[in-house]
């Protein structure tokens, strides 16, 4: 019997998880993203969806944590035709933190069957994989990922290797074979999969265009690939495949968001892109509050209270506010503490929502989003409207009426132009 669910995913952070919701919405596929492992009662609240996800934080976790938690998460998603371990499109990970290789091993053990698929290229996000090497945009330029001005200097998982098979070799003993770009573009993706499958535990697909993703999606469906790892390129490939196979309509779930009178931005991002957004927004009247990060990490209530009081005062007067921990990359030797910092910033946001009745919130930074949103008491998120590719507006579902229907954007550090914060406030 074919599952009613076309697809399910586990996101290794919250920003990437909402990116998947956007890809599904653009494909006309109703979906829900759970912020905790769903029980039957929670799933029953969303009976019409054809795809489900769990927003996780494994990107910032050690392999032992993944061994303990991912099998249960995968089991909760196992009634879908395809299960996807969703990674960031920059694929940053290490043997010790957010190990994609370990997640691949766990997924293969859970789902068995044929080789797993690895799809990282996401042209819609300006991420490209050519002959096994990952390239990503920064502004107007495209860089090999190990030369990317931000990702090569990521404070937790700097990318020092562009060859993705070599990158994963430090994290897994799985045999990985490439389906290269020239064969995909010659119409030989299916034949290349058949050749690779017999000798591989996982197969990496190149991809620099939507046509490449469509060819990949056709292979995933034809061979009923049970488990996939990678960016929202996996999702887009499947959407294209479902359309071609007549499994979904070609109607996009498109609406326009209304403007919000007030916006709170909570940023733990160290990206130069986010730094420029903070500078531009401050120049345009947003009140920027720089957090005393060491005090937050020491758990000092006075610092959280200072941020809450100033943010609430600004919002109560009809202004817009930015609470941020950094403006650009951390200095040499600085300690990264995304989980504790994100949780502290999330508590600030939660207090501001309760005291001001705020209805739209923007989190910037992957770890900040994952650990910050977890402080809000949200059960699930659904797609609400497009804002910018990779960072849609989503709607919260919660038993707490203060949080229920809250609108959020969860932005990775690299997403958006200099006016992005105001774009979010205005609704696109």
């Amino acid at each position: 019997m074919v599952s009613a669910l076309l697809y399910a995913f586990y996101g290794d952070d919250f920003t990437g998880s909402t990116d998947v919701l956007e890809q599904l919405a653009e494909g006309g596929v109703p979906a829900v993203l759970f912020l905790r492992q769903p029980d039957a009662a929670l799933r029953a609240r969303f009976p019409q969806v054809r795809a489900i996800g769990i927003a996780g934080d494994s990107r910032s976790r050690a392999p032992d944590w993944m061994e303990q938690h991912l099998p249960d998460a995968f089991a909760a998603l196992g009634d879908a035709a395809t299960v996807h371990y969703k990674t960031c499109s920059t694929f940053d990970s290490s043997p010790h933190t957010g190990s994609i290789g370990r997640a691949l091993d766990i997924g293969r053990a859970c789902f068995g069957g044929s080789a797993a698929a690895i799809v990282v290229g996401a042209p819609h996000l300006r991420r490209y994989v050519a002959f096994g090497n990952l390239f990503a945009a920064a502004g107007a330029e495209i860089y090999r990922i190990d030369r990317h001005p931000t990702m090569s200097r990521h404070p937790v998982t700097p990318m020092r290797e562009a060859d993705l098979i070599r990158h994963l070799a430090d994290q897994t003993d799985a045999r990985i074979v490439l389906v290269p770009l020239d064969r995909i573009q010659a119409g030989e993706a299916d034949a290349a999969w058949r050749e690779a499958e017999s000798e591989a535990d996982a197969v990496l697909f190149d991809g620099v265009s939507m046509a490449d993703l469509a060819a990949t999606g056709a292979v995933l469906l034809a061979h009923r690939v049970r488990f996939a790892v990678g960016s929202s390129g996996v999702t887009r490939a499947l959407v294209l495949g479902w359309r071609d196979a007549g499994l979904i309509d070609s109607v996009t779930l498109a609406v326009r968001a209304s403007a919000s009178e007030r916006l709170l931005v909570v940023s733990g991002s160290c990206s130069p892109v986010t730094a420029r957004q903070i500078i531009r927004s401050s120049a345009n009247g947003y009140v920027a509050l720089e957090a005393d990060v060491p005090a937050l990490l020491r758990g000092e209530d006075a610092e959280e209270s200072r941020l809450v009081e100033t943010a609430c005062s600004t919002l109560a007067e009809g202004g817009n506010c930015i609470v941020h921990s950094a403006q650009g990359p951390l200095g040499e030797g600085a300690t990264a503490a995304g989980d504790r910092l994100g949780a502290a910033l999330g508590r600030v946001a939660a207090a501001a929502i309760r005291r001001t009745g705020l209805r739209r919130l923007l989190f910037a930074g992957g770890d900040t989003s994952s650990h910050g949103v977890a402080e809000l008491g949200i059960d699930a998120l659904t797609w609400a409207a497009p804002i910018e590719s990779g960072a849609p507006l989503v709607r919260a579902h919660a038993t707490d009426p203060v949080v229920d229907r809250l609108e959020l954007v969860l932005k990775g550090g690299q997403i958006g132009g200099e006016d992005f914060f105001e774009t979010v406030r205005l609704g696109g």
Side-chain angles (χ1 to χ4, degrees):
M1 178 178 175
V2 177
S3 170
L5 286 179
L6 289 171
Y7 166 81
F9 67 97
Y10 176 95
D12 71 353
D13 73 2
F14 281 34
T15 59
S17 297
T18 61
D19 175 23
V20 173
L21 284 185
E22 178 176 46
Q23 300 310 310
L24 293 167
E26 289 185 1
V29 180
V32 60
L33 173 65
F34 298 114
L35 272 62
R36 58 180 173 85
Q37 193 165 301
D39 55 22
L42 181 54
R43 285 188 62 165
R45 288 163 56 184
F46 304 91
Q48 303 304 318
V49 300
R50 302 193 70 191
I52 64 172
I54 297 174
D57 59 6
S58 56
R59 183 180 178 186
S60 62
R61 299 292 191 174
D64 287 348
W65 183 96
M66 299 169 83
E67 292 280 0
Q68 182 178 356
H69 292 88
L70 288 185
D72 287 344
F74 289 153
L77 302 172
D79 56 330
T82 302
V83 177
H84 172 199
Y85 180 78
K86 199 281 177 185
T87 70
C88 183
S89 60
T90 50
F91 219 60
D92 49 305
S93 58
S94 79
H96 308 293
T97 304
S99 172
I100 296 171
R102 185 60 61 89
L104 172 65
D105 292 342
I106 295 168
R108 287 179 51 240
C110 288
F111 296 107
S114 63
I118 304 174
V119 184
V120 184
H124 51 286
L125 299 177
R126 300 176 70 208
R127 309 290 193 254
Y128 310 98
V129 178
F131 299 99
N133 288 269
L134 176 59
F135 299 80
E141 301 294 323
I142 305 294
Y143 296 88
R144 203 174 72 185
I145 199 67
D146 58 340
R147 298 178 182 175
H148 191 279
T150 301
M151 300 316 302
S152 65
R153 301 171 57 193
H154 191 282
V156 180
T157 49
M159 285 295 282
R160 299 192 174 100
E161 175 58 70
D163 183 321
L164 296 182
I165 293 178
R166 291 175 63 97
H167 174 63
L168 288 174
D170 289 336
Q171 303 174 28
T172 177
D173 292 327
R175 300 164 298 168
I176 303 172
V177 175
L178 176 68
V179 173
L181 190 62
D182 56 343
R183 297 202 66 186
I184 292 173
Q185 297 187 346
E188 299 174 0
D190 191 85
W193 166 272
R194 291 177 184 275
E195 294 164 15
E197 184 184 19
S198 63
E199 60 180 283
D201 299 312
V203 178
L204 170 66
F205 288 83
D206 275 345
V208 300
S209 70
M210 289 301 172
D212 299 334
L213 289 187
T216 297
V219 172
L220 300 187
L221 292 185
H223 295 277
R224 299 183 181 182
V225 175
R226 191 79 173 87
F227 181 63
V229 171
S231 72
S232 62
V234 172
T235 320
R236 181 60 72 95
L238 287 169
V239 165
L240 294 170
W242 295 329
R243 280 183 177 172
D244 289 343
L247 295 175
I248 61 173
D249 296 327
S250 58
V251 178
T252 300
L253 304 177
V255 298
R256 164 96 184 189
S258 60
S260 177
E261 292 183 356
R262 302 173 297 171
L263 179 69
L264 174 62
V265 179
V266 178
S267 173
S269 170
C270 301
S271 164
V273 173
T274 305
R276 290 192 289 270
Q277 291 164 348
I278 293 171
I279 293 167
R280 172 64 68 86
S281 299
S282 299
N284 290 338
Y286 281 59
V287 174
L289 307 175
E290 184 168 1
D292 181 341
V293 173
L296 287 180
L297 296 182
R298 288 193 297 269
E300 295 183 10
D301 293 340
E303 176 59 8
E304 285 192 24
S305 295
R306 178 185 75 86
L307 296 173
V308 170
E309 293 297 330
T310 309
C312 287
S313 175
T314 300
L315 294 166
E317 294 172 0
N320 304 301
C321 186
I322 306 165
V323 178
H324 65 96
S325 62
Q327 255 182 245
L330 298 176
E332 293 293 330
T335 300
D339 52 352
R340 290 181 293 146
L341 177 61
L345 294 175
R347 290 192 294 271
V348 170
I353 291 165
R354 294 193 172 283
R355 288 178 50 177
T356 67
L358 183 75
R359 301 312 297 160
R360 186 168 295 173
L361 174 65
L362 166 62
F363 277 101
D367 287 344
T368 306
S369 296
S370 297
H371 298 286
V373 172
E375 298 293 322
L376 302 184
I378 298 170
D379 294 321
L381 297 171
T382 53
W383 181 89
I387 296 291
E388 182 156 332
S389 186
L393 189 71
V394 295
R395 183 169 291 112
H397 300 265
T399 55
D400 184 345
V402 175
V403 178
D404 191 47
R405 312 298 289 178
L406 177 71
E407 295 177 336
L408 303 95
V409 171
L410 310 181
K411 178 192 98 71
Q414 302 302 301
I415 297 292
E418 292 188 3
D419 288 319
F420 182 75
F421 296 173
E422 187 66 358
T423 299
V424 171
R425 188 187 72 80
L426 295 174

